[in-house]
Amino acid sequence: MAGFAGAHLASAVTSAKGIGFIGSAYDISALQTELRNVSDILHNTLTTTENDTQTLPIGVGFLTFIVKSSDAIPLVKKYKPAAVWLFAAKELEDYTEWAEGIRSASPETKIWIQIGSVAGALKVMKLCRPDVLIMQGTDAGGHGWQRGAGIISLVPETRDALAAHGFCHVPLLAAGGIADGRGVAAALALGADGVVMGTRFLGAPETMLPHEGYLKTILEAEDGGQSTVRATIFDELKGPNIWPELFDGRGIITESYKDHVKGVGVEELRRLYKEAASSEEGGFGPNGRTIVWAGTGVGLVRQQKNAWEIVEEVRTEATVALKRACGRQCI
Amino acid sequence: MAGFAGAHLASAVTSAKGIGFIGSAYDISALQTELRNVSDILHNTLTTTENDTQTLPIGVGFLTFIVKSSDAIPLVKKYKPAAVWLFAAKELEDYTEWAEGIRSASPETKIWIQIGSVAGALKVMKLCRPDVLIMQGTDAGGHGWQRGAGIISLVPETRDALAAHGFCHVPLLAAGGIADGRGVAAALALGADGVVMGTRFLGAPETMLPHEGYLKTILEAEDGGQSTVRATIFDELKGPNIWPELFDGRGIITESYKDHVKGVGVEELRRLYKEAASSEEGGFGPNGRTIVWAGTGVGLVRQQKNAWEIVEEVRTEATVALKRACGRQCI
C-alpha cells in the first residue's frame, strides 16, 4: 500500500480500533509529511486515556530494498510508531540491521516482518526475532513472492513449524485474499492471531488513489481469481523493474498484460502505456493499460465505504461467520 | 485422484462417515473392478440400517474430457453411486448431457461438479443445476485451472454471486490446500458447507500409489507453497499433453520441472524421465524426475495414517479450531 495508505487511512483504521499503517516507498519527505499529519490528526481525535503510551498508534511500512535504513530510522526515532512493517529485503539477512536500528531508536516500536514461506518465517525468526510475522499468501494484491501458497495451508504449516522450533508465541497475521469478515474468521480458524487487509481499503475514500478510474476499476472487478493475475510485466511499464528477483505483483488484467502474453515487446508496451496514462482517462477503464494492484479479494469490494465502517463491518461479520460455522460444527 | 482413489480408500472414508470417492481416468474396466470391490466391501461392513438407501454410499469421479458418457453412464445405472463428481469438461456445456444422462440412469445419484471460478459456478448452475458445487482453489494438487484464486476469496465471492442469482441453497464444498481440521474450520467460516481433501489421503495406506517413493516424497515435502508448483510440463513427460487448454497441474518440483525452466526441450525431458522412471527408484527420491501430484497442503502431511483415522482426526481438529477461534473472537 506504499503511496496509497497515508495519514488519513492510517488514522481512520486506528480510530476504529484496528491499527492503521502508512506505506512508504522512495520518497522519505512525503513520508515525513504523512507522519506529521497523522500525528496531528490522532492527537486531536484520541482522548488522553487512549493515547497515554509513548508511541504513535499507527504503523509505518518500509520496502527495505529501496529505502535506506539511515533515512528511515531517524523518522522512527522521531515519531515512535507503534509498529514498523518491513518487507521485500534483497536478502533476509538485511532485516538484522534494520531490527537492531529500530530497537535502538525506539524500543517500544514493534517490528513486523512480512514473509511468504515457512522457511522464510523460520529464518527471519532466527535472524532477528520480529514481534509479529505477517504471512502473505499468493492471493495478495500488489507485490509478493512469485511462488507460494495461499494462507489456507501457509498459516497452519508455519504455525506448526514455528512451534517445532520453539517459537510458540510469535503472533502471526494472515495476508492475501481477505476482504471481509468471512476471511478474517477463516484466518483465525487457521491459527492466525489477526489479519491485514489492503485491497479492501482501496474502496475507502481515505485511501490515496492516483485517479478516479482506479476506484472504478476496483469496484467493478468481479471473480477475483480471473480478473487479476500475478506478473512481473506490471513492474516493467514505467521503466525497468527494480524489484528483487523472486518478487512479482498481482494486479487487474489489463491490455498491457494481454499484449505481453501475446508477445508484444516491453518497449512498445511502455510506449502504449505512457500514451494511455497521459490521456484524460489516465489509462483506466475498459481496455485500460494502467497498473491497478489488487488481490483476489477484489471481487468482494463492491462499494466505497469509509475505513472505520470497513473495520467495524468486518469485525461484526467475522463474529457472525465464526458463530455460524461453530453452530454447524461444534459439538 | 484418478488412479489413486479406489475401492479401499472410498470405502474407508465412507465407513468413517465421510463420503469416499473412486477416481477414474481412461480405464473403464479398472473402474468396474473398483466398483465391484467397493460394493462387496461396503455390503459386508455396513449394517442394514446404515445401508438402507438404494445408492451405493460412495461417489465416482469422471474426467469428462476423456471418458465417454456412453461408457460411464451404464456403470452409474448399474452401481447407483450416491454421487458422481464431474470435472474438466472441454466446454461447460458438455455437463448438460452428462447431467441428463446420470439423472435418467440413476435419479437418486447426486451430481457434483468441480469448478474454479465464480463465473464458472454461475454458468454450471444455469446449465444443469448440479446438486453440489466443488469450488477448487489454486492451492489444490493435481489438475485445475491455470488461473484462479485460493478458497479464501473464491468461496465467499461464489457464495455471494450464487445468492444474487437465486441459487441460495446449493451446497458448496471447498477444495485446495485443506489438509487438516484447521483448513476445514476455515472453509466452514468462509461459507462452505464442507470440504474435499486429496493430498492428505496420499498419506493413507488405502490409497493406490504407483511406488513407495511416491509416499516418501509426500511425507518428506515441506513448505507446500515452495515445494510444489503449477505447471503444464508435468503433463508433457509421458507424451503430448491431452488436457484441455486452461488446465495445468500442481505437483512437487522435480528435476524435470527445473530443467524445463532452464530451457531443456520436451523431447530430452521425456527421455530423461523415461530413463529415471524405469530405474529401481522409479524416478522418485532426491533429484527425482517422476510426477508427484500434490497440493500446497503437502507440508501438513507428515505421517502415514489410515483413512478412517484421518477423517476422524480432521473432524475433531476442526471442532477444536472453531471453538478456539470463536473463543478469541465471539462476543
Side-chain angles (χ1 to χ4, degrees):
Chain A
M1 297 285 279
F4 293 79
H8 290 287
L9 181 60
S11 57
V13 170
T14 286
S15 299
K17 306 205 185 300
I19 173 165
F21 275 79
I22 296 174
S24 70
Y26 315 85
D27 190 344
I28 284 288
S29 75
L31 172 60
Q32 189 143 23
T33 306
E34 295 300 324
L35 279 165
R36 205 177 312 125
N37 290 345
V38 86
S39 181
D40 288 349
I41 297 169
L42 287 171
H43 287 113
N44 288 336
T45 58
L46 295 180
T47 65
T48 320
T49 326
E50 283 172 320
N51 193 24
D52 58 0
T53 63
Q54 290 183 334
T55 58
L56 188 64
I58 54 111
V60 181
F62 294 110
L63 297 172
T64 61
F65 77 96
I66 40 171
V67 176
K68 286 185 194 154
S69 61
S70 55
D71 286 338
I73 288 172
L75 288 179
V76 174
K77 191 175 174 76
K78 181 172 179 189
Y79 288 95
K80 300 200 185 321
V84 165
W85 173 329
L86 304 177
F87 176 48
K90 273 184 193 145
E91 305 287 342
L92 295 183
E93 284 76 5
D94 299 348
Y95 288 136
T96 309
E97 188 200 325
W98 274 86
E100 282 169 8
I102 293 163
R103 287 192 172 118
S104 161
S106 174
E108 300 298 318
T109 295
K110 302 293 182 193
I111 296 171
W112 296 22
I113 295 182
Q114 176 166 282
I115 201 84
S117 66
V118 179
L122 285 172
K123 186 160 181 183
V124 160
M125 282 306 294
K126 286 173 190 167
L127 282 169
C128 60
R129 301 280 178 121
D131 300 292
V132 170
L133 281 176
I134 303 153
M135 299 310 303
Q136 190 195 34
T138 52
D139 289 282
H143 290 87
W145 286 266
Q146 290 182 30
R147 187 188 294 156
I151 63 166
I152 187 74
S153 60
L154 180 62
V155 167
E157 194 187 347
T158 305
R159 177 61 82 199
D160 290 351
L162 289 169
H165 287 78
F167 302 119
C168 297
H169 302 298
V170 59
L172 290 190
L173 305 184
I178 301 165
D180 68 12
R182 290 169 291 188
V184 176
L188 296 179
L190 291 168
D193 299 285
V195 308
V196 299
M197 296 195 302
T199 302
R200 177 63 189 267
F201 287 109
L202 295 174
E206 294 91 341
T207 300
M208 301 180 291
L209 296 179
H211 192 281
E212 62 185 18
Y214 204 110
L215 177 66
K216 200 160 180 288
T217 305
I218 293 294
L219 298 183
E220 287 177 357
E222 293 183 340
D223 213 347
Q226 305 303 312
S227 55
T228 67
V229 70
R230 301 201 72 92
T232 53
I233 189 62
F234 298 130
D235 285 311
E236 297 284 356
L237 294 175
K238 293 183 182 178
N241 183 1
I242 58 166
W243 279 77
E245 231 189 331
L246 305 181
F247 286 88
D248 64 5
R250 185 182 286 279
I252 299 284
I253 292 173
T254 56
E255 291 302 306
S256 303
Y257 175 79
K258 290 182 205 164
D259 282 349
H260 165 67
V261 172
K262 282 181 205 153
V264 176
V266 70
E267 290 304 330
E268 176 65 1
L269 291 177
R270 282 182 192 150
R271 192 189 66 73
L272 291 166
Y273 163 76
K274 201 170 170 185
E275 194 177 281
S278 64
S279 74
E280 200 179 327
E281 294 76 27
F284 296 93
N287 310 319
R289 293 198 161 268
T290 299
I291 308 145
V292 179
W293 303 114
T296 67
V298 70
L300 294 162
V301 186
R302 299 189 189 105
Q303 49 178 311
Q304 206 182 29
K305 273 188 191 168
N306 290 315
W308 68 264
E309 205 177 348
I310 292 173
V311 176
E312 293 198 356
E313 182 182 285
V314 165
R315 198 182 279 131
T316 307
E317 285 168 352
T319 306
V320 170
L322 280 172
K323 279 189 178 163
R324 193 196 52 223
C326 232
R328 68 190 303 163
Q329 171 69 17
C330 296
I331 38 176
Chain B
M1 296 285 280
F4 293 78
H8 289 288
L9 181 61
S11 58
V13 171
T14 286
S15 298
K17 305 205 185 301
I19 173 164
F21 275 78
I22 295 173
S24 71
Y26 315 85
D27 190 344
I28 284 288
S29 75
L31 172 60
Q32 189 142 22
T33 306
E34 295 301 323
L35 278 165
R36 205 176 313 124
N37 290 345
V38 85
S39 181
D40 288 350
I41 297 169
L42 287 171
H43 286 115
N44 288 337
T45 58
L46 294 181
T47 65
T48 319
T49 325
E50 282 172 321
N51 193 25
D52 58 0
T53 64
Q54 290 184 335
T55 58
L56 188 63
I58 54 112
V60 181
F62 293 110
L63 297 172
T64 61
F65 77 97
I66 40 171
V67 176
K68 286 185 193 154
S69 61
S70 55
D71 286 337
I73 288 171
L75 288 179
V76 174
K77 190 176 174 76
K78 182 171 179 189
Y79 289 96
K80 300 200 186 321
V84 166
W85 173 329
L86 304 177
F87 176 49
K90 273 184 194 146
E91 306 288 342
L92 295 182
E93 284 76 5
D94 299 347
Y95 289 135
T96 309
E97 189 201 324
W98 275 86
E100 282 169 9
I102 293 163
R103 287 192 172 117
S104 162
S106 174
E108 300 298 317
T109 295
K110 301 294 181 192
I111 296 172
W112 296 23
I113 295 182
Q114 177 166 280
I115 200 86
S117 66
V118 180
L122 285 172
K123 186 160 181 185
V124 159
M125 281 306 294
K126 287 173 190 166
L127 281 168
C128 60
R129 300 279 179 120
D131 300 292
V132 169
L133 280 175
I134 303 153
M135 299 310 303
Q136 190 195 34
T138 52
D139 290 281
H143 290 88
W145 286 266
Q146 289 182 31
R147 187 187 294 155
I151 64 166
I152 187 74
S153 61
L154 180 62
V155 166
E157 194 187 348
T158 305
R159 178 61 83 199
D160 290 351
L162 289 169
H165 287 78
F167 302 118
C168 297
H169 302 299
V170 58
L172 290 190
L173 305 184
I178 301 165
D180 68 13
R182 290 169 291 188
V184 175
L188 296 179
L190 291 168
D193 299 285
V195 308
V196 299
M197 296 195 302
T199 301
R200 177 64 189 267
F201 287 110
L202 294 174
E206 293 90 342
T207 300
M208 301 181 291
L209 296 179
H211 192 280
E212 61 184 18
Y214 204 109
L215 176 66
K216 199 160 180 286
T217 306
I218 293 294
L219 298 183
E220 287 177 357
E222 294 182 340
D223 213 348
Q226 304 304 311
S227 55
T228 68
V229 71
R230 300 200 72 91
T232 53
I233 189 62
F234 298 129
D235 285 311
E236 297 283 357
L237 294 175
K238 293 183 181 177
N241 183 1
I242 58 166
W243 278 77
E245 232 189 331
L246 306 181
F247 286 88
D248 64 4
R250 184 183 287 279
I252 299 284
I253 293 173
T254 55
E255 291 303 306
S256 303
Y257 175 79
K258 289 182 205 164
D259 282 350
H260 165 68
V261 172
K262 282 181 205 152
V264 176
V266 71
E267 289 304 331
E268 176 65 1
L269 292 176
R270 281 181 192 151
R271 192 188 67 72
L272 291 166
Y273 163 75
K274 201 170 170 185
E275 194 177 283
S278 63
S279 73
E280 200 178 330
E281 295 76 27
F284 295 94
N287 310 318
R289 292 198 163 268
T290 299
I291 308 145
V292 179
W293 302 115
T296 67
V298 69
L300 294 163
V301 186
R302 299 189 189 105
Q303 49 177 310
Q304 206 183 29
K305 272 188 191 168
N306 290 315
W308 67 264
E309 205 177 349
I310 292 173
V311 176
E312 292 199 356
E313 182 182 283
V314 165
R315 198 182 278 131
T316 306
E317 285 169 352
T319 306
V320 171
L322 280 173
K323 280 189 178 164
R324 194 195 52 222
C326 232
R328 66 190 304 164
Q329 172 69 15
C330 295
I331 40 176

